[in-house]
Amino acid sequence: MGITLNPYLNFRGNAREAMEFYEGVFGGKLNVATFADYHASTDPSEDDLVMHADLEAAGGIRFMGADVPNRMEYTPGTNFSMSLSGEDEAELRGYFEKLSDGGSITMPLEKAAWGDTFGMCTDRFGVSWLVNINAAAD
């Protein structure tokens, strides 16, 4: 098994809701552990916040997330994007529609200058998504 790179998303108090939303979009298996589960809370009011969530879905989709405790700085959606790419147009269009539901479409899913179909959206949790449908090979 080689090295893997998994995007890690941070939230402020709604990590469980967000990761359950993504589980609804992508399917797969979601594992969630709270700060209390790890005996890692320094503030009892944060015991039920998510310390670590891991979503693993079909097709190699895997990412993680957590709630940022109040003692740490949190700025949503400013320093990352999630990128989905592949050849299955129907599946990728479906993800784009589900992700943009309740959020906003920054760039519609359309033919791009490089030949692929590309779009950008921000989901209802402030996460920026890039979707690229690879053009069919000649």
Side-chain angles (χ1 to χ4, degrees):
M1 186 172 164
I3 296 171
T4 61
L5 173 65
N6 299 306
Y8 208 105
L9 306 177
N10 290 312
F11 301 92
R12 177 72 86 195
N14 62 350
R16 182 181 301 275
E17 179 186 357
M19 294 301 288
E20 288 174 352
F21 168 73
Y22 299 132
E23 181 184 30
V25 171
F26 298 109
K29 181 171 174 42
L30 176 63
N31 292 304
V32 177
T34 65
F35 280 89
D37 291 337
Y38 284 106
H39 306 288
S41 178
T42 59
D43 179 346
S45 71
E46 297 178 339
D47 282 353
D48 293 331
L49 293 181
V50 174
M51 183 169 172
H52 181 72
D54 185 346
L55 177 62
E56 190 165 1
I61 294 173
R62 184 176 184 191
F63 58 96
M64 300 164 191
D67 282 310
V68 176
N70 289 326
R71 68 184 180 280
M72 297 173 66
E73 185 178 337
Y74 171 72
T75 305
T78 60
N79 60 348
F80 66 90
S81 294
M82 298 288 283
S83 178
L84 289 169
S85 59
E87 297 176 359
D88 189 327
E89 182 170 356
E91 183 175 23
L92 288 164
R93 281 188 181 279
Y95 290 153
F96 187 82
E97 293 303 316
K98 289 177 185 176
L99 288 165
S100 61
D101 184 29
S104 63
I105 295 175
T106 311
M107 179 182 293
L109 199 52
E110 298 176 344
K111 181 111 172 165
W114 57 91
D116 293 348
T117 299
F118 178 79
M120 299 183 340
C121 66
T122 302
D123 70 27
R124 64 183 178 214
F125 297 100
V127 176
S128 173
W129 291 85
L130 314 174
V131 176
N132 192 89
I133 303 167
N134 300 337
D138 292 331

